[in-house]
């Protein structure tokens, strides 16, 4: 054994250091003894722990590992750019990677969205979009247009503004948000519609929600409506047909910007570069993206803005007005090089077409899980899905709460024991595997999930 290998920390030591010193995102304050799996390697669609056990990565990292793990050409592109030019100030210099990536994103984005502002991730991309909406209206002489509309169960990030427009699990949070700037519209999930109501009628109800909010708040006070094409962290909520298109029309009629948060849905998750136009028939005013932009190999986000807005801002007399928003790592050359290589791989391997080819099988296997009595609903689109648990009929309220809080955790634990990672969210398990997943691997994933749900059902029903 080499001296370097002999000095390598043990899994036990890594876990102890992690528990003692690393405050994880959304960390419970009582998690000092957390027994997290220690990820050591990644290959294809699998993560490998410190003991060499392999797991299908059902969530694809955090909805982001589009091209899979262990891509040598990604490492080479990142390393080559780091040696050539590791960093430059985005205030003072231009560079090939950021300019080339901005141009590429402009060609991939729908409609006239041709101006790219680079951020450090999804949260900062959303934060920048919201600030730009206010900046835009200030320049137009409409400083009262400051507020934002969003939906319950949405998730847009963890910066102060992006968290403020998020409607996910807000009750019980002890973090402050800017409530004065935001109005949350009711949950859009079609599965909660009243019995006997069609999805088309539910769409009418949700459009009425939006119209009522605009009427009550006053269009003159609302800067933008921000919406996920598919609500990801809120439980993979797919809106009723026509909802996004009708919402976009209403926003345009009331001079309200339409921001599509495509942090999860862009770069192939639904089988297209962007879902807004190709899946939902909408060209937004602004698109935010991150995650799949680099397949998680490096952090990067982008806010893509339409020519209509930029041309209005560039009107005569505003030449010296600056959008004073930015980050030290905006357009980071190494991150941009990673994104360019990631896009090249997606194009070369025809992963968008692959997603469209395998997603019907993915969704069929997902739907089949409804035969379990403990499964209340399944939802999905492209290569993103959710299984939602339900309590057994006749359960008392306390027992119902047990199911709500334990279903996801129990399914997660059983899946992990059998070599599959899913992401539990209270009574839901969500997954968004790497886009390179093959049909037989989809079957392996769902075979494990099916077995795990069956075991949980026998325990809890």
């Amino acid at each position: 054994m080499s001296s370097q290998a002999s000095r390598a920390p043990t899994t036990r030591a890594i876990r102890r250091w992690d528990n003692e010193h690393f405050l994880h995102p959304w960390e419970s304050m009582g998690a000092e003894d957390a027994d997290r799996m220690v990820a050591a390697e990644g290959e294809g669609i699998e993560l490998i722990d410190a003991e060499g056990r392999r797991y299908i990565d059902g969530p694809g990292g955090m909805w982001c590992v589009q091209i899979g793990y262990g891509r040598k050409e990604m490492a080479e592109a990142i390393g080559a750019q780091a040696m050539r030019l590791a960093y430059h100030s985005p205030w003072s210099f231009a560079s090939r990677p950021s300019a080339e990536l901005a141009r590429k994103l402009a060609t991939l984005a729908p409609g006239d969205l041709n101006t790219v502002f680079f951020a450090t991730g999804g949260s900062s991309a959303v934060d920048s979009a919201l600030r730009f909406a206010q900046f835009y209206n200030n320049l137009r002489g409409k400083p009262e247009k400051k507020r934002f509309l969003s939906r319950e169960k949405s998730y847009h990030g963890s910066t102060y503004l992006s968290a403020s427009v998020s409607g996910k699990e807000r009750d019980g949070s002890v973090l402050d948000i800017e409530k004065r700037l935001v109005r949350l519209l009711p949950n859009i999930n079609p599965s909660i519609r009243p019995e006997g109501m069609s999805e088309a009628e539910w769409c009418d109800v949700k459009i009425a929600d939006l119209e009522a909010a605009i009427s009550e708040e006053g269009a003159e006070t609302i800067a933008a409506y921000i919406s996920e094409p598919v609500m990801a962290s809120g439980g993979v909520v797919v809106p009723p047909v026509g909802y996004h298109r009708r919402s976009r029309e209403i926003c345009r009629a009331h001079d309200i910007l339409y921001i599509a948060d495509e942090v999860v849905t862009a770069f192939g998750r639904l089988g297209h570069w962007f879902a807004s136009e190709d899946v939902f028939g909408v060209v937004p005013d602004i698109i935010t993206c991150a995650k799949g932009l680099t397949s998680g190999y490096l952090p990067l986000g982008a806010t893509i803005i339409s020519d209509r807005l930029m041309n209005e801002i560039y009107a005569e007399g505003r030449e010296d007005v600056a959008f004073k928003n930015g980050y030290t790592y905006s357009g980071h050359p190494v991150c941009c090089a990673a994104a360019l290589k990631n896009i090249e791989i997606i194009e070369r391997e025809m992963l968008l077409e692959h997603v469209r080819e395998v997603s019907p099988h993915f969704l069929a296997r997902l739907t089949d899980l409804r035969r379990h009595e403990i499964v209340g609903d399944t939802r999905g689109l492209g290569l993103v899905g959710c299984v939602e648990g339900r309590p057994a009929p006749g359960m008392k309220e306390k027992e119902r709460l047990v199911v709500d809080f334990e279903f996801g955790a129990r399914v997660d634990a059983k899946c992990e024991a059998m070599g599959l990672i899913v992401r539990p969210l209270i009574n839901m398990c969500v997954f968004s595997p790497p886009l390179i997943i093959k049909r037989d691997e989809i079957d392996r994933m769902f075979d494990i999930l099916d077995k795990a749900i069956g075991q949980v059902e026998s325990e809890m029903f």
Side-chain angles (χ1 to χ4, degrees):
M1 180 181 294
S2 69
S3 59
Q4 183 177 3
S6 65
R7 292 195 302 270
T10 64
T11 302
R12 183 177 179 182
I14 293 170
R15 189 173 286 119
R16 185 178 74 251
W17 298 340
D18 180 78
N19 287 335
E20 290 177 354
H21 303 294
F22 184 2
L23 181 61
H24 286 258
W26 295 69
E27 179 76 281
S28 166
M29 293 298 100
E32 65 271 8
D33 296 321
D35 188 27
R36 286 187 176 87
M37 181 184 83
V38 176
E41 299 177 63
E43 183 180 11
I45 68 165
E46 294 180 323
L47 282 174
I48 305 168
D49 71 12
E51 281 71 45
R53 291 186 294 265
R54 289 176 173 267
Y55 306 82
I56 296 174
D57 186 4
M62 283 290 289
W63 325 84
C64 61
V65 187
Q66 319 297 66
I67 63 171
Y69 295 98
R71 292 283 191 150
K72 184 179 180 181
E73 61 184 304
M74 283 291 284
E76 290 173 344
I78 290 167
Q81 183 59 51
M83 289 299 298
R84 185 180 306 113
L85 176 66
Y87 176 78
H88 66 78
S89 166
W91 273 258
S92 306
F93 297 94
S95 69
R96 177 176 175 177
S98 56
E100 192 173 337
L101 180 59
R103 180 176 180 273
K104 184 66 175 180
L105 292 179
T107 65
L108 298 178
D112 67 339
L113 279 78
N114 290 308
T115 298
V116 180
F117 176 89
F118 286 116
T120 54
S123 295
S124 52
V126 169
D127 198 276
S128 298
L130 299 174
R131 295 197 73 191
F132 185 89
Q134 293 180 331
F135 167 76
Y136 166 76
N137 281 301
N138 287 342
L139 288 182
R140 300 167 70 214
K142 298 184 177 184
E144 69 281 1
K145 290 179 74 67
K146 286 283 191 293
R147 307 192 71 218
F148 304 105
L149 300 177
S150 183
R151 284 277 176 188
E152 291 177 357
K153 298 296 182 181
S154 64
Y155 180 72
H156 299 289
S158 287
T159 61
Y160 195 62
L161 268 182
S162 64
S164 294
V165 298
S166 295
K168 181 173 175 285
E169 310 307 334
R170 177 163 293 177
D171 294 340
S173 173
V174 292
L175 286 172
D176 292 335
I177 54 173
E178 183 48 79
K179 294 181 180 179
R180 294 172 299 175
L181 287 179
V182 183
R183 173 158 172 169
L184 291 178
L185 307 179
N187 193 344
I188 196 174
N189 191 345
S191 69
I192 68 170
R193 69 186 186 276
E195 187 175 353
M197 178 181 285
S198 69
E199 280 209 23
E201 292 170 327
W202 178 249
C203 185
D204 291 340
V205 171
K206 297 297 100 182
I207 292 299
D209 289 342
L210 175 60
E211 291 175 323
I214 294 172
S215 175
E216 292 165 11
E217 301 293 335
E220 71 279 1
T221 72
I222 301 171
Y225 172 48
I226 183 166
S227 179
E228 299 165 90
V230 172
M231 285 186 186
S233 294
V236 189
V237 176
V238 182
V241 174
Y243 170 77
H244 285 307
R245 177 183 52 77
R246 293 172 66 184
S247 297
R248 175 72 177 93
E249 291 169 355
I250 290 168
C251 287
R252 178 60 66 89
H254 289 90
D255 190 28
I256 295 170
L257 299 186
Y258 189 93
I259 302 172
D261 182 353
E262 293 225 36
V263 168
V264 169
T265 55
F267 302 101
R269 182 55 53 193
L270 303 188
H272 300 274
W273 289 114
F274 294 94
S276 291
E277 183 176 33
D278 289 333
V279 180
F280 297 101
V282 170
V283 176
D285 293 302
I286 300 173
I287 287 178
T288 59
C289 57
K291 295 190 184 291
L293 175 56
T294 65
S295 281
Y297 277 75
L298 284 175
L300 183 66
T303 305
I304 312 175
I305 306 164
S306 73
D307 290 344
R308 182 178 75 86
L309 305 187
M310 296 304 298
N311 289 340
E312 197 168 349
I313 285 175
Y314 286 144
E316 187 176 352
R318 295 177 182 155
E319 294 84 358
D320 296 328
V321 175
F323 179 49
K324 295 183 178 180
N325 180 73
Y327 308 96
T328 300
Y329 303 112
S330 291
H332 192 284
V334 182
C335 298
C336 290
L340 286 165
K341 179 58 66 173
N342 177 63
I343 292 170
E344 176 191 321
I345 291 170
I346 292 174
E347 288 180 323
R348 185 180 70 238
E349 298 187 1
M350 301 179 69
L351 290 184
L352 303 184
E353 293 84 352
H354 174 71
V355 171
R356 297 198 294 270
E357 179 183 347
V358 301
S359 59
H361 183 61
F362 173 90
L363 296 171
R365 288 297 311 261
L366 173 66
T367 302
D368 182 59
L369 296 174
R370 295 183 186 179
R371 59 188 166 76
H372 290 283
E373 192 177 1
I374 200 171
V375 173
D377 191 26
T378 62
R379 302 181 291 273
L381 196 63
L383 282 183
V384 58
C386 172
V387 177
E388 184 173 343
R390 69 176 172 195
M395 274 189 173
K396 296 179 181 178
E397 186 60 27
K398 287 186 179 180
E399 293 172 321
R400 292 176 63 88
L401 290 174
V402 168
V403 173
D404 282 345
F405 284 97
E406 290 191 11
F407 173 80
R410 290 195 184 202
V411 172
D412 175 52
K414 293 184 183 299
C415 283
E416 186 172 315
M418 291 185 279
L420 169 66
I421 300 169
V422 296
R423 186 183 177 202
L425 295 172
I426 307 178
N427 68 330
M428 299 178 290
C429 290
V430 297
F431 40 99
S432 53
L435 306 186
I436 61 171
I437 193 169
K438 299 180 177 66
R439 185 184 176 99
D440 65 316
E441 292 170 330
I442 290 172
D443 284 332
R444 279 176 52 207
M445 181 176 71
F446 279 107
D447 287 347
I448 294 173
L449 185 56
D450 192 356
K451 186 175 181 180
I453 290 172
Q455 291 175 357
V456 171
E457 186 173 55
S458 67
E459 293 172 359
M460 301 186 73
F461 264 40

